[in-house]
Amino acid sequence: MLKQKNRKKLEFDPQKLLDDMVTFVAVLDTAGTIIFVNNTPLIAAGITLKDIVGIKFWDASWWAYSQDAIDAIQNDSQSCAAGNSLLHEIQLATADGTLIWIEYSMHPIFDDEGNVEYLVPEGRDITEKKEQQFQMQRLAHYDILTGLPNRTLFADRFKIALAHANRNETLLAVCFVDIDHFKPINDNYGHEEGDQLLVEIAQRLDSCIRREDTVSRMGGDEFTMLLGVHSQKECEDLVKRILTTLSKPYCLSRNTHSITASCGITLYPYDDADADVLTRHADQAMYEAKISGKNKFIFFDAKKEHSTQIYADFLDTISRAIASNEMGLYYQPKINMKTGYIYGVEALIRWNHPTKGLQSPIEFLPYIQKTVVMIELGKWVISQALHQLNLWYKEKKQWRMSINIDAYHFTNNDFCSALENALSQYANPLGKFLEIEILETEDFSDLNSVSSRITTCQSLGVHFALDDFGTGYCSLLYLKKLPINCLKIDQSFVKDILTDKKDRSLINGIIALSRAFDVDIIAEGVETLEDGIALLELGCVNAQGYYIAKPMPILEFLVWSKKYTPEKQWKKVIEIQG
């Protein structure tokens, strides 16, 4: 036996140890033979201590161990008998086949002479904790709605696919797919119907590709694909098959829909660029397919760059729309469900197109990302927001307005100085009424720089919110590194709060995080009375969503604000909670 000369004998009382044990504690001799086990696992297995005393711990009948678990615990026992303490996590299968995770430790107990006398394995059931960790990891890499890889995992797969194409001297087709006329489905049938359709579309796309290829949801009704091919003809045949599959009728629970899709393609290494440029080229080709009739695919022409000119014309159209006052802000109220108080609004961009009518952001914002036009539009939004805040200030309305600022604009070198200059145009202190929302799904390359910019803007009184919290790949990192004032719980979690225990648990966790980091919290996407009740029960009092009000033009919002009546049943929940 290993001797520990200068170690005191530990006073050992098995029953005392049980007080803090969640799952089990046992006492073994140095050969791993069971001397004692507490009642918790014995009662669950319907056996007594007498049944198992004298057998090896790793052979104990209350656990149906995998062979790997048996080997690991046997090795641990031998190491512990040599005087070592161990701590790790292990997955076990219970007698009824249920898989659980155990935080498992084993410690030696020494006699007066320093010899190992007993081994004490202890375990806590951490299954719920591990499931939450796995869920967060899945959120980091997969789209919540469709289960497809998200932007983050797509970027990782892109690097691998490029390396594979270079190594094997094959082609990589980068495809950008956009569903034609998807917005009317959401408008006419509701977002739930639209979500069901997106899930079906995702499944069809996934069924059309090989295991080594990738299909990803980029957001809204946009998907990207990475396809390994040997020729342009092979790519054409594959994409034709995909578009044909997508065009077959969709029989959902309530309605049948027929849709088509437009696809832009660029081929690497014919188009010899990096991942970001390749994606943008495929996006540009997709836009050309859209404006040339939809339900087709077009290859990006790396030589003539015809699609680039089409894209440039579109950017010019947006720029002229800003100058011609075709853009407008719609306002969605934010309320405190506990008090019924309207404490702010979110300003959302709309384009009143001269021929197509009112266009939602999804119709044009994705096409101007990472361009000077996005910065131009962002400056216009700030200008309009401050103008409206100044009018409210004069009328003694204390509403805070949140605006969405694109990462490309926010990280622009002159953002902070331009914002300061815009605020200085007004004598009234408007900064404290302005809140800037940045997306948690944005991949900021330099968090220290972003943090510094936020701090600079906060010195002007401006607040910051982290939007779509929980849907990106580094939620906790952003929360740790960025000095934000508010978290916005993404509507994808709120949507199923009544039926999905995991979503409810995630919301509960996000609320706990907001308290731990001392930041405000608001839930978006509250579409029913019951959604609000569930959020209140979890401790989230701030909300916005269609049940409260849809985004409205300014005059309509002002009329609504005068007629708004707080929801009585939400107040009852607060009264019951005391």
Side-chain angles (χ1 to χ4, degrees):
M1 295 295 177
L2 180 71
K3 291 190 175 184
Q4 303 286 325
K5 289 296 183 183
N6 297 318
R7 300 182 69 168
K8 295 174 64 178
K9 180 179 179 180
L10 299 179
E11 293 296 329
F12 178 63
D13 179 353
Q15 194 58 48
K16 186 176 181 182
L17 281 176
L18 297 187
D19 294 340
D20 293 328
M21 289 300 99
V22 175
T23 303
F24 73 81
V25 61
V27 181
L28 320 176
D29 66 17
T30 55
T33 304
I34 295 174
I35 299 172
F36 170 85
V37 177
N38 67 303
N39 284 334
T40 304
L42 302 182
I43 293 173
I47 59 177
T48 67
L49 181 61
K50 183 179 178 181
D51 296 326
I52 59 169
V53 167
I55 69 173
K56 299 299 184 184
F57 179 61
W58 47 89
D59 291 331
S61 60
W62 71 86
W63 297 120
Y65 291 119
S66 67
Q67 188 59 48
D68 287 343
I70 292 173
D71 293 343
I73 292 178
Q74 188 170 3
N75 292 335
D76 288 348
S77 300
Q78 293 170 354
S79 179
C80 189
N84 301 311
S85 293
L86 305 108
L87 174 65
H88 50 234
E89 296 173 352
I90 189 169
Q91 190 175 33
L92 306 176
T94 63
D96 65 1
T98 303
L99 292 177
I100 65 172
W101 280 92
I102 296 293
E103 184 181 69
Y104 166 75
S105 65
M106 189 178 288
H107 305 283
I109 301 295
F110 299 93
D111 62 18
D112 290 334
E113 297 181 358
N115 295 315
V116 176
E117 186 174 11
Y118 302 109
L119 314 180
V120 181
E122 303 171 0
R124 294 174 181 272
D125 188 340
I126 57 168
T127 305
E128 183 176 352
K129 171 187 172 183
K130 292 295 291 185
E131 287 179 348
Q132 290 177 348
Q133 289 177 354
F134 293 144
Q135 180 69 4
M136 291 302 289
Q137 289 171 2
R138 182 162 184 80
L139 289 174
H141 294 98
Y142 291 90
D143 176 58
I144 297 298
L145 177 64
T146 64
L148 293 178
N150 63 11
R151 288 175 181 267
T152 306
L153 185 54
F154 178 76
D156 291 341
R157 298 265 184 93
F158 212 147
K159 294 176 184 177
I160 296 171
L162 287 172
H164 183 272
N166 289 328
R167 184 170 58 253
N168 295 281
E169 297 183 350
T170 55
L171 300 178
L172 176 64
V174 183
C175 308
F176 207 106
V177 179
D178 186 271
I179 307 305
D180 299 327
H181 305 300
F182 181 78
K183 184 177 180 295
I185 294 175
N186 272 337
D187 293 343
N188 298 328
Y189 298 96
H191 287 277
E192 183 176 352
E193 184 100 344
D195 286 349
Q196 289 181 28
L197 182 56
L198 287 172
V199 171
E200 291 278 351
I201 291 169
Q203 292 173 350
R204 292 192 188 184
L205 284 170
D206 196 44
S207 69
C208 289
I209 65 172
R210 298 163 301 179
R211 181 177 297 179
E212 60 267 29
D213 295 329
T214 295
V215 59
S216 167
R217 184 184 179 213
M218 302 300 279
D221 59 341
E222 295 178 336
F223 301 85
T224 49
M225 297 185 297
L226 300 174
L227 310 174
V229 294
H230 292 87
S231 66
Q232 180 167 326
K233 177 65 166 58
E234 180 185 351
C235 180
E236 289 177 0
D237 293 342
L238 179 55
V239 173
K240 284 178 183 178
R241 187 162 66 249
I242 290 171
L243 294 186
T244 299
T245 300
L246 291 180
S247 65
K248 294 178 181 178
Y250 295 79
C251 299
L252 304 183
S253 57
R254 298 179 182 177
N255 303 285
T256 298
H257 301 281
S258 294
I259 59 100
T260 59
S262 300
C263 179
I265 310 165
T266 191
L267 287 173
Y268 176 86
Y270 298 158
D271 185 3
D272 190 7
D274 61 26
D276 286 341
V277 174
L278 289 169
T279 303
R280 188 164 67 247
H281 286 174
D283 190 9
Q284 292 172 14
M286 182 277 295
Y287 180 71
E288 185 176 356
K290 280 274 192 186
I291 63 176
S292 61
K294 301 182 175 65
N295 190 26
K296 62 175 63 177
F297 63 87
I298 287 181
F299 282 89
F300 176 80
D301 191 332
K303 294 181 179 179
K304 296 181 179 178
E305 295 195 3
H306 180 213
S307 56
T308 301
Q309 183 58 49
I310 298 290
Y311 185 60
D313 292 342
F314 176 77
L315 292 179
D316 185 59
T317 300
I318 295 290
S319 185
R320 284 187 277 107
I322 297 171
S324 303
N325 293 319
E326 293 175 13
M327 299 294 176
L329 293 181
Y330 275 46
Y331 301 87
Q332 185 173 39
K334 297 180 178 182
I335 68 163
N336 183 308
M337 294 183 289
K338 180 178 180 179
T339 64
Y341 177 64
I342 305 168
Y343 72 90
V345 296
E346 180 177 4
L348 299 161
I349 191 83
R350 297 290 187 270
W351 180 12
N352 189 16
H353 195 281
T355 58
K356 298 180 181 179
L358 197 64
Q359 303 285 293
S360 67
I362 196 66
E363 302 287 340
F364 57 93
L365 286 187
Y367 306 111
I368 65 173
Q369 289 181 345
K370 298 183 180 181
T371 68
V372 293
V373 179
M374 179 62 85
I375 296 176
E376 186 181 346
L377 183 59
K379 289 181 177 180
W380 178 87
V381 169
I382 291 172
S383 173
Q384 294 297 305
L386 292 180
H387 174 74
Q388 187 58 57
L389 284 173
N390 192 52
L391 294 178
W392 286 343
Y393 187 89
K394 292 178 180 179
E395 297 169 2
K396 295 185 170 29
K397 290 184 172 69
Q398 303 290 304
W399 291 327
R400 178 176 292 158
M401 185 188 304
S402 62
I403 58 175
N404 297 277
I405 295 297
D406 181 76
Y408 184 72
H409 182 194
F410 183 67
T411 54
N412 186 262
N413 288 334
D414 70 346
F415 179 84
C416 294
S417 59
L419 179 61
E420 182 177 12
N421 181 63
L423 287 166
S424 70
Q425 304 302 309
Y426 297 92
N428 298 316
L430 303 183
K432 63 182 180 180
F433 299 109
L434 181 66
E435 180 176 72
I436 292 176
E437 294 186 7
I438 55 177
L439 289 176
E440 192 268 320
T441 47
E442 293 284 3
D443 183 9
F444 291 110
S445 58
D446 186 352
L447 284 183
N448 290 330
S449 175
V450 173
S451 177
S452 176
R453 289 172 186 272
I454 291 176
T455 301
T456 299
C457 295
Q458 286 173 330
S459 69
L460 304 173
V462 178
H463 283 232
F464 277 80
L466 199 54
D467 197 6
D468 291 352
F469 187 78
T471 62
Y473 71 102
C474 50
S475 309
L476 298 181
L477 181 62
Y478 280 14
L479 187 55
K480 177 183 177 181
K481 293 283 189 179
L482 304 181
I484 52 96
N485 306 99
C486 179
L487 293 180
K488 293 194 74 174
I489 301 174
D490 186 69
Q491 60 183 343
S492 61
F493 300 135
V494 177
K495 181 184 66 174
D496 295 323
I497 189 174
L498 301 173
T499 57
D500 192 321
K501 291 182 179 180
K502 291 183 178 179
D503 277 352
R504 191 178 179 94
S505 296
L506 281 169
I507 291 176
N508 195 33
I510 294 172
I511 293 171
L513 283 173
S514 73
R515 291 169 179 164
F517 284 85
D518 192 26
V519 296
D520 295 332
I521 193 161
I522 180 173
E524 59 182 1
V526 176
E527 297 192 354
T528 67
L529 170 68
E530 291 74 20
D531 288 345
I533 291 175
L535 288 166
L536 285 170
E537 290 173 346
L538 292 176
C540 177
V541 300
N542 297 327
Q544 68 182 99
Y546 279 19
Y547 183 77
I548 300 162
K550 294 182 178 182
M552 300 168 278
I554 183 61
L555 295 180
E556 187 176 332
F557 164 71
L558 293 174
V559 171
W560 176 90
S561 67
K562 294 176 182 178
K563 295 181 178 180
Y564 172 68
T565 302
E567 177 56 63
K568 294 180 180 179
Q569 293 195 50
W570 288 345
K571 283 195 171 185
K572 285 183 181 179
V573 174
I574 298 300
E575 292 171 358
I576 292 172
Q577 291 177 338

